[in-house]
């Protein structure tokens, strides 16, 4: 807006607009979801409900810059990772993968690498509990779905994704709250212990 004197109006008190563009990208899309799971696991551990931990990605460090406080400057993945989380609940081994999608209508199977399918098959063959936690980010919903169902869909399905209505039918929606943030153990109890 210009005033009669030809000068543009500048509000010196108006705060600068901060944008999140550039901060939110595909690389950190699932980080809030992972933080919610980690907070839930801390709650479960502190209350002696179960012991579930995040599995670290195996890396081999090649070079470290000690001049700036031991910063890794060169590293590579030793091997392909398997799943995100594992642990024990009621004397049963649990292993699961957390996946996030912005898709509103289905979960793309391309989000699952083959080594995760192979790993979860082995967990099931040894009597462990294996599942996926799938967050539909735009719907603000999280579901637990048994790994054997996803594996069957992955290997035998004629689609490249699992429709949301199938996930709603076959899976269990996870309660979201404060403590724990994602009460997925309630869904584990319902699915595997009743």
């Amino acid at each position: 807006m210009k005033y009669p004197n030809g000068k543009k109006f500048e509000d010196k008190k108006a705060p600068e607009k901060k944008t999140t563009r550039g901060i939110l990208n595909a690389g950190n899309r699932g980080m809030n979801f992972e933080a919610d799971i980690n907070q839930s696991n801390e709650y479960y551990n502190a209350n002696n409900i179960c012991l579930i931990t995040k599995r670290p990605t195996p890396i081999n460090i090649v070079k470290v810059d000690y001049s700036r406080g031991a910063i890794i400057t060169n590293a590579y993945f030793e091997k392909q990772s398997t799943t995100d989380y594992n642990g024990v609940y009621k004397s049963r081994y649990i292993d699961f993968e957390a996946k996030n999608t912005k898709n509103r209508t289905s979960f793309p199977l391309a989000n699952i690498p083959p080594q995760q399918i192979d790993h979860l098959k082995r967990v099931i063959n040894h009597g462990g509990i294996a599942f996926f936690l799938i967050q539909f980010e735009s719907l603000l919903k999280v579901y637990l779905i048994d790994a054997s169902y996803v594996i069957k869909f992955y290997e035998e399905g004629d689609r490249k994704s699992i429709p949301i209505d199938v996930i709603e039918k076959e899976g269990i929606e996870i309660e979201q709250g404060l403590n724990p943030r994602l009460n997925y153990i309630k869904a584990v109890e319902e699915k595997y212990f009743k």
Side-chain angles (χ1 to χ4, degrees):
M1 175 187 313
K2 290 189 178 183
Y3 285 95
N5 65 2
K7 292 185 179 179
K8 187 177 177 184
F9 172 74
E10 291 182 37
D11 186 359
K12 296 190 189 318
K13 295 179 185 176
E16 277 186 38
K17 289 184 180 179
K18 293 183 180 180
T19 63
T20 56
R21 189 171 296 195
I23 296 172
L24 298 175
N25 60 41
N28 64 8
R29 182 175 63 206
M31 295 308 288
N32 289 337
F33 182 38
E34 186 177 294
D36 289 345
I37 295 170
N38 292 342
Q39 183 275 341
S40 301
N41 290 340
E42 289 171 15
Y43 172 85
Y44 292 143
N45 187 32
N47 289 282
N48 203 29
I49 295 168
C50 65
L51 178 61
I52 308 290
T53 57
K54 173 112 174 75
R55 182 181 280 129
T57 303
I59 63 166
N60 192 348
I61 300 169
V62 177
K63 188 175 179 184
V64 178
D65 182 358
Y66 291 103
S67 68
R68 298 184 291 164
I71 296 173
I72 298 170
T73 58
N74 192 358
Y76 63 90
F77 295 111
E78 286 181 358
K79 59 182 179 177
Q80 294 176 325
S81 63
T82 53
T83 52
D84 290 330
Y85 295 91
N86 68 338
V88 180
Y89 174 64
K90 291 189 173 180
S91 301
R92 295 279 309 273
Y93 176 75
I94 290 179
D95 202 305
F96 68 94
E97 176 65 19
K99 295 292 185 187
N100 178 303
T101 184
K102 289 189 177 207
N103 194 315
R104 299 177 69 86
T105 59
S106 64
F107 172 72
L109 292 170
N111 287 0
I112 307 171
Q115 74 269 12
Q116 289 178 343
I117 294 292
D118 293 339
H119 175 78
L120 291 169
K121 280 171 138 178
R122 288 192 304 260
V123 169
I124 293 166
N125 289 339
H126 286 283
I129 294 172
F131 57 88
F132 285 84
L133 288 184
I134 300 175
Q135 179 187 48
F136 285 86
E137 190 175 321
S138 57
L139 300 176
L140 303 175
K141 292 185 176 187
V142 178
Y143 294 91
L144 178 148
I145 188 161
D146 187 67
S148 60
Y149 184 81
V150 175
I151 291 165
K152 184 176 180 182
F153 212 94
Y154 186 91
E155 294 178 338
E156 299 172 11
D158 55 349
R159 292 181 49 115
K160 293 183 179 183
S161 63
I162 304 174
I164 184 72
D165 58 329
V166 172
I167 290 174
E168 289 171 341
K169 181 182 172 204
E170 297 294 328
I172 299 171
E173 187 173 353
I174 304 298
E175 275 183 19
Q176 299 183 47
L178 186 59
N179 278 317
R181 177 72 190 96
L182 297 172
N183 194 1
Y184 70 86
I185 287 296
K186 182 177 180 184
V188 167
E189 182 72 29
E190 183 181 329
K191 178 74 178 169
Y192 302 102
F193 290 90
K194 286 191 176 180

